[in-house]
Amino acid sequence: WEFEQLSQAFNFMLANLKDAEEQSRYKELLENVDDAVYILDRDGNVLEANEAAYSRLGYTPEEFFDLNLSDIIPQKEARSVIEQLGRENLEKNPGKITLETTHAGTKGERIPVEIQSRAITYRGRNVILNVARDVTARIEAEKEKRQLETQLIHSQKMEAVGTLAGGIAHDFNNLLMGIQGYISL
């Protein structure tokens, strides 16, 4: 009987050790991702998040875990994500949703992000996984690209006007040469 209890305790301890090791490995992977990763319940409440999710926005972990999705992104988009992924059964396989929106920081600043959302099963619960990537640099690069394109089009127009003016001046010069030659004679 003692050996049986010792064996059960050892097996229980081994299973918990494996779970703890797996949990530690999972946390290590999650914390080394540069994108904000957070898991929400079906109502949009934050269950888990990596450091990138709350540190960029200026929240402490405790503050962030008290938030709802509608506190992080605009309410209209939060409602859309929860309606599409939170209320459906996973058997319907809703796929994933990609949306460009903003994250709200503690000081009221808005950080442009692209969010990939999908319904998953996590620890036996149906949850929503959000992965948000900061797209500030991409938006600035696109703005600079548009500005450079505008400058290129303007310079091409100016080149065309210069070529036209040069052609007109050459033709006008040819006419003047004929007049000057006639005057010389």
Side-chain angles (χ1 to χ4, degrees), residues 169-185:
H170 183 72
D171 289 345
F172 189 67
N173 191 33
N174 287 344
L175 289 174
L176 289 178
M177 282 297 147
I179 294 171
Q180 185 181 15
Y182 181 74
I183 291 173
S184 295
L185 285 176

Side-chain angles (χ1 to χ4, degrees), residues 84-85 88-97 118-119:
Q84 291 181 33
L85 298 176
E88 293 186 13
N89 293 329
L90 286 177
E91 292 86 38
K92 291 182 182 177
N93 193 12
K96 70 179 177 180
I97 299 172
R118 86 171 5 141

Side-chain angles (χ1 to χ4, degrees), residues 59-173:
Y59 291 104
T60 64
E62 295 79 23
E63 292 172 331
F64 194 75
F65 291 126
D66 287 338
L67 297 177
N68 188 287
L69 183 60
S70 60
D71 299 325
I72 301 168
I73 67 174
Q75 210 165 18
K76 180 181 175 187
E77 284 135 357
R79 219 176 8 254
S80 172
V81 168
I82 291 170
E83 285 173 4
Q84 291 181 33
L85 298 176
R87 306 284 183 234
E88 293 186 13
N89 293 329
L90 286 177
E91 292 86 38
K92 291 182 182 177
N93 193 12
K96 70 179 177 180
I97 299 172
T98 302
L99 65 130
E100 284 201 24
T101 185
T102 58
H103 272 171
T106 56
K107 298 177 182 127
E109 71 276 10
R110 292 283 183 183
I111 299 170
V113 292
E114 178 183 77
I115 298 178
Q116 304 271 335
S117 294
R118 86 171 5 141
I120 63 168
T121 302
Y122 175 71
R123 294 185 180 173
R125 294 176 68 181
N126 293 333
V127 296
I128 300 169
L129 172 68
N130 278 356
V131 179
R133 175 166 288 164
D134 187 346
V135 292
T136 305
R138 185 181 80 193
I139 290 173
E140 289 174 2
E142 288 172 355
K143 188 186 295 184
E144 185 177 338
K145 179 184 173 190
R146 282 192 299 274
Q147 187 177 22
L148 289 173
E149 286 174 346
T150 303
Q151 288 176 348
L152 175 64
I153 290 170
H154 180 70
S155 68
Q156 288 173 338
K157 286 179 184 177
M158 294 307 293
E159 181 184 5
V161 168
T163 302
L164 180 65
I168 292 171
H170 183 72
D171 289 345
F172 189 67
N173 191 33

